């Protein structure tokens, strides 16, 4: 479904991605883990067209998206839940979700507001409230819901557990697993390595703009290098 080859990206003189290759098959749920500043967000932003890569290839469902603007990529069904959620705090929950429909373009809608509310019932209760008044976890659910109404074929998520309690993180990852079981392909960036490896089939580890390790998530959970560098201090 997604084939990334030798992707490179820089911010001025700072090289953020240095030849990253990865592939995602339809139906998979894949994790990307790595330390602060490794280039994880840059990678997702290059895939979704928010940041322009300086080199390399990106093909989504057979379409070359490497030079395509973000709004066109989203209308192909490649949608991103950005780091920090990026919801519009002065709009209501429902208004934020309505914005998600803009990503449909000419594609049919598959999930409606009620489907999002069934997945995250708290959002139904708060549908008329200002989004800025939601808790962090509820805002994350809203950001995921906003992407879902745009009918993603592939969903990219950037650190969905950031700032959330273990309990709410469980809920968010539970929702991702159930979406994946119903056919959604997912690439999730996480710093919480234990959670990410425990909830996905395959994983990549990004370090200083390069893929340092890749493999089955269950195997990486027992890999000495992963245990030493990524699982040592994880508590949730
Ligand atoms: N807009 C920007 N301008 C300049 N440098 C940037 C910008 N965004 C990221 N960088 C730099 O690029 C590198 C990769 O950053 P990126 O945000 O992709 O990492 P990350 O793995 O997502 O980190 P984090 O875990 O903190 O979210 C870092 O050195 C960062 O300082
Ligand atoms: Mg990031």
């Amino acid at each position: 479904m997604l084939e990334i080859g030798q992707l490179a990206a820089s911010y001025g003189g700072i090289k953020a991605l240095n030849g990253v290759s990865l592939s995602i098959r339809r139906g998979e749920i894949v994790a990307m883990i790595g330390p602060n500043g490794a280039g994880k967000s840059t990678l997702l932003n290059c895939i979704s067209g928010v940041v322009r890569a300086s080199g390399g290839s990106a093909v989504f469902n057979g379409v070359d998206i490497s030079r395509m603007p973000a709004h066109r990529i989203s209308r192909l069904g490649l949608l991103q839940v950005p780091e920090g959620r990026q919801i519009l705090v002065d709009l209501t929950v429902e208004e934020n979700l309505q914005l998600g429909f803009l990503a449909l373009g000419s594609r049919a809608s598959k999930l409606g507001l009620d489907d999002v509310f069934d997945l995250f019932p708290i959002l139904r209760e708060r549908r008329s409230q200002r989004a800025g008044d939601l808790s962090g976890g509820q805002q994350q659910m809203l950001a995921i819901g906003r992407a879902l109404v745009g009918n993603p074929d592939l969903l990219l998520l950037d650190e969905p557990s950031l700032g959330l309690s273990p309990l709410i993180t469980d809920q968010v990852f539970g929702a991702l697993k159930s979406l994946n079981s119903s056919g959604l392909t997912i690439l999730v960036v996480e710093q919480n390595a234990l959670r990410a490896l425990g909830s996905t089939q395959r994983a990549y580890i990004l370090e200083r703009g390069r893929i340092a390790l890749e493999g089955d998530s269950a195997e990486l959970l027992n890999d000495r290098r992963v245990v030493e560098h990524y699982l040592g201090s994880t508590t949730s």
Side-chain angles (χ1 to χ4, degrees):
M1 176 178 262
L2 182 72
E3 194 77 49
I4 300 297
Q6 291 299 316
L7 207 67
S10 303
Y11 301 100
I14 302 171
K15 245 186 187 168
L17 296 179
N18 204 344
V20 172
S21 300
L22 63 90
S23 59
I24 297 178
R25 291 185 291 272
R26 180 171 293 278
E28 280 193 306
I29 178 165
V30 177
M32 171 74 58
I33 61 180
N36 283 122
K40 304 180 300 296
S41 296
T42 303
L43 176 62
L44 290 195
N45 287 335
C46 285
I47 296 171
S48 62
V50 173
V51 167
R52 178 56 57 92
S54 55
S57 59
V59 177
F60 174 60
N61 282 335
V63 179
D64 179 358
I65 57 168
S66 58
R67 309 208 70 76
M68 210 180 258
H71 71 278
R72 283 190 54 211
I73 293 175
S74 66
R75 286 173 186 178
L76 295 175
L78 197 168
L79 296 179
Q80 182 172 8
V81 181
E83 188 173 54
R85 297 136 200 167
Q86 308 291 338
I87 57 164
L88 298 182
V89 292
D90 288 326
L91 298 186
T92 66
V93 166
E94 186 163 344
E95 286 165 344
N96 269 277
L97 290 173
Q98 294 286 357
L99 288 175
F101 288 109
L102 292 173
L104 283 173
S106 57
R107 291 173 307 129
S109 146
K110 198 165 138 201
L111 297 182
L113 297 191
D114 272 330
D115 298 299
V116 173
F117 292 150
D118 289 346
L119 188 65
F120 300 121
I122 189 72
L123 296 181
R124 177 176 277 123
E125 282 172 38
R126 309 224 151 164
R127 65 191 295 166
S128 305
Q129 285 184 20
R130 190 177 161 273
D133 293 336
L134 299 178
S135 71
Q138 292 159 2
Q139 292 188 3
Q140 187 63 55
M141 293 170 192
L142 179 57
I144 294 171
R146 179 183 56 189
L148 291 178
V149 299
N151 191 7
D153 207 11
L154 171 62
L155 187 63
L156 312 178
L157 297 109
D158 196 347
E159 303 212 32
S161 79
L162 198 68
L164 307 190
S165 69
L167 189 70
I168 302 296
T169 301
D170 276 346
Q171 283 182 26
V172 167
F173 272 88
L176 295 184
K177 279 181 123 170
S178 100
L179 289 163
N180 175 248
S181 303
S182 49
L184 182 62
T185 309
I186 295 176
L187 172 61
V188 56
V189 158
E190 260 297 333
Q191 279 205 45
N192 186 333
L194 185 62
R195 183 79 56 165
L197 294 176
S199 310
T200 53
Q201 296 158 350
R202 278 197 310 122
Y204 293 89
I205 297 181
L206 191 68
E207 290 176 355
R208 279 174 264 117
R210 293 175 188 274
I211 302 289
L213 210 55
E214 62 180 281
D216 286 345
S217 299
E219 286 171 20
L220 288 176
L221 266 177
N222 295 310
D223 187 289
R224 183 182 48 80
R225 291 161 294 182
V226 176
V227 172
E228 269 175 24
H229 291 102
Y230 294 97
L231 300 176
S233 59
T234 306
T235 53
S236 60

